Amino acid sequence: MSAYRIGLTGGIASGKSTVSELFAQHGVEVIDADQIAREVVAPGQPGLAAVVEAFGPEVLTEGGTLDRQALRKLVFNDPERRARLEQILHPRIRELMAQRARVAHSPYCILAIPLLVENDLMDQVDRVLVV
C-alpha cells in the first residue's frame, strides 16, 4: 500500500531542505526530486544514455559523468532543447519517486518537489505543503 503523499514545495531558499530534514528526524520518509534527478543521470543509468544521445558526448565529463554546466549551457536559453531534456528526465524522475512512495514504510511520505505547481504535478501528491 502506498503511503499518503505530501508534496513539499516552495520558492528558492524558502527552507524546503530544513523542513524535509525535520520530517526525516521524526521518521517520515522524504523523497527528494533533486536527489532523484541526480540518480537518473548517474553513470550507467538509461537516463544518462538518453541525454547523451539527445545532446551529444560533450555533455559528459572525462570521467563519464554528466557535465551539468555543459548541459546547462546547451539548454538554458533554448526552449526546445530544454523541453527535450525535460521529456527525457521528468518521466524517469516521476516514476522513481512514485516507486519509492509505494514502498515507503512511514504512514505518509514527503515528496520534495521544488516546482510542483509550475510543472503541473499536483496529481502526484495527496496534499501540498508550501514553505
Side-chain angles (χ1 to χ4, degrees):
M1 182 170 139
S2 294
Y4 192 79
R5 303 160 302 162
I6 298 175
L8 173 64
T9 194
I12 295 172
S14 62
K16 295 180 299 293
S17 296
T18 300
V19 172
S20 290
E21 180 58 33
L22 290 169
F23 275 101
Q25 288 174 9
H26 290 282
V28 176
E29 291 190 48
V30 176
I31 304 164
D32 187 294
D34 290 339
Q35 176 61 39
I36 300 285
R38 288 186 286 278
E39 289 179 33
V40 300
V41 293
Q45 293 299 313
L48 180 59
V51 170
V52 172
E53 183 179 326
F55 297 100
E58 62 266 21
V59 299
L60 291 176
T61 66
E62 288 183 21
T65 61
L66 182 64
D67 185 336
R68 294 180 186 284
Q69 186 174 7
L71 182 59
R72 196 174 299 118
K73 286 179 184 177
L74 287 175
V75 303
F76 188 73
N77 289 317
D78 187 330
E80 287 180 21
R81 283 186 166 179
R82 187 172 341 121
R84 176 67 184 127
L85 180 62
E86 290 171 355
Q87 289 171 351
I88 293 168
L89 298 181
H90 287 186
R92 288 173 167 86
I93 295 165
R94 280 192 300 273
E95 178 56 32
L96 191 49
M97 291 187 81
Q99 285 176 10
R100 293 200 179 154
R102 283 192 294 273
V103 298
H105 292 34
S106 53
Y108 61 94
C109 63
I110 301 292
L111 276 66
I113 307 173
L115 299 174
L116 177 71
V117 175
E118 296 84 346
N119 285 330
D120 195 27
L121 298 173
M122 300 292 286
D123 64 337
Q124 304 294 307
V125 299
D126 299 301
R127 283 277 201 224
V128 176
L129 172 59
V130 179
V131 178

